[in-house]
């Protein structure tokens, strides 16, 4: 009935809000590419690391703020659980911000960027809902669903709303793993390039 749909709709709304950081980062970087500002950035003393940090902080902060404000309005739960909610949101927003950074760097132009964002957004929002509704909680398929960064977020949000806390550690661990993987995907190529350059110079 309506009561069982409400937590699901709230979880979908919150996951969508978390994705804001991805869109913001990607569009910000693509916009600069279109304007030619990225060429200026390459000449400026700002390193790639500083540039990425600046973008990530903005996208991450936007994602966390929009999600927590939405959560405060929509979700009723004990005060003690808000810390877990913040951890869940922060890790998810970080993954989303990293995904946005990657899209921004890979996309050559605005249209390609928008297509990438839409595809990632569908992958971010649709699979967890389908897994949650169609797959038993203790099956292998549910375990595989953790390959999508938002699955752990989604299950965590559903559990928080019903007061179930026993799987929270697992969800946070999965999200932490995703943060590391996305971060490596973003900084890995630069690290390899720097390593090759230093070897050539040596």
């Amino acid at each position: 009935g309506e009561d069982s749909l409400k937590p699901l709709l709230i979880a979908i709304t919150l996951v969508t809000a978390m994705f804001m950081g991805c869109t913001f980062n990607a569009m910000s970087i693509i916009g600069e590419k279109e304007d030619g500002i990225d060429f200026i950035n390459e000449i400026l003393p700002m390193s790639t690391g500083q540039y990425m940090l600046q973008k990530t902080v903005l996208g991450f902060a936007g994602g966390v703020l929009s999600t927590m404000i939405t959560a405060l309005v929509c979700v009723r739960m004990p005060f003690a659980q808000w810390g877990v909610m913040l951890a869940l949101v922060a890790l998810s927003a970080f993954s989303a911000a990293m995904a946005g950074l990657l899209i921004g760097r890979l996309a050559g132009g605005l249209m390609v960027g928008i297509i990438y964002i839409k595809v990632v957004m569908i992958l971010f929002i649709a699979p967890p809902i389908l897994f949650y509704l169609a797959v038993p909680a203790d099956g292998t398929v549910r375990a595989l669903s953790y390959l999508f960064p938002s699955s752990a977020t989604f299950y965590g949000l559903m559990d928080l709303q019903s007061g179930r806390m026993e799987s929270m550690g697992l969800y946070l661990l999965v999200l932490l793993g995703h943060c590391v993987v996305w971060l490596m995907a973003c900084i890995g190529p630069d690290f390899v390039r720097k390593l090759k350059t230093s070897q050539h110079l040596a």
Side-chain angles (χ1 to χ4, degrees), residues 5-19:
L5 266 180
K6 193 182 167 193
L8 189 67
L9 290 172
I10 288 172
I12 292 167
T13 307
L14 293 177
V15 169
T16 311
M18 278 172 219
F19 195 78

Side-chain angles (χ1 to χ4, degrees), residues 20-31 51-52 54-60 93-94 96-104 117:
M20 290 289 289
C22 173
T23 311
F24 179 85
N25 271 0
M27 294 311 285
S28 167
I29 295 170
I30 293 163
Y51 175 71
M52 281 171 59
Q54 185 189 338
K55 293 286 175 212
T56 308
V57 167
L58 285 170
F60 171 72
F94 182 79
M98 286 285 119
L101 210 60
L102 209 56
I103 291 170
I117 291 168

Side-chain angles (χ1 to χ4, degrees), residues 82-178:
W82 280 101
V84 179
M85 172 68 110
L86 184 61
L88 207 62
V89 169
L91 290 170
S92 307
F94 182 79
S95 290
M98 286 285 119
L101 210 60
L102 209 56
I103 291 170
R105 299 180 77 180
L106 292 174
L110 191 61
M111 288 315 295
V112 179
I114 290 170
I115 293 165
Y116 283 166
I117 291 168
K118 293 292 178 203
V119 170
V120 173
M121 189 168 185
I122 291 164
L123 288 174
F124 215 79
I125 294 167
I129 300 164
L130 296 173
F131 285 124
Y132 188 83
L133 294 175
V135 176
D138 50 2
T140 315
V141 181
R142 175 65 74 93
L144 287 173
S145 74
Y146 289 127
L147 290 170
F148 294 95
S150 50
S151 294
T153 311
F154 194 82
Y155 306 149
L157 290 170
M158 293 302 286
D159 282 5
L160 271 175
Q161 289 181 82
S162 59
R164 291 194 302 272
M165 298 295 285
E166 56 272 13
S167 302
M168 283 303 154
L170 171 68
Y171 301 148
L172 292 172
L173 204 63
V174 169
L175 282 168
L176 195 62
H178 273 290

Side-chain angles (χ1 to χ4, degrees), residues 1-7:
E2 196 180 314
D3 285 348
S4 62
L5 266 180
K6 193 182 167 193

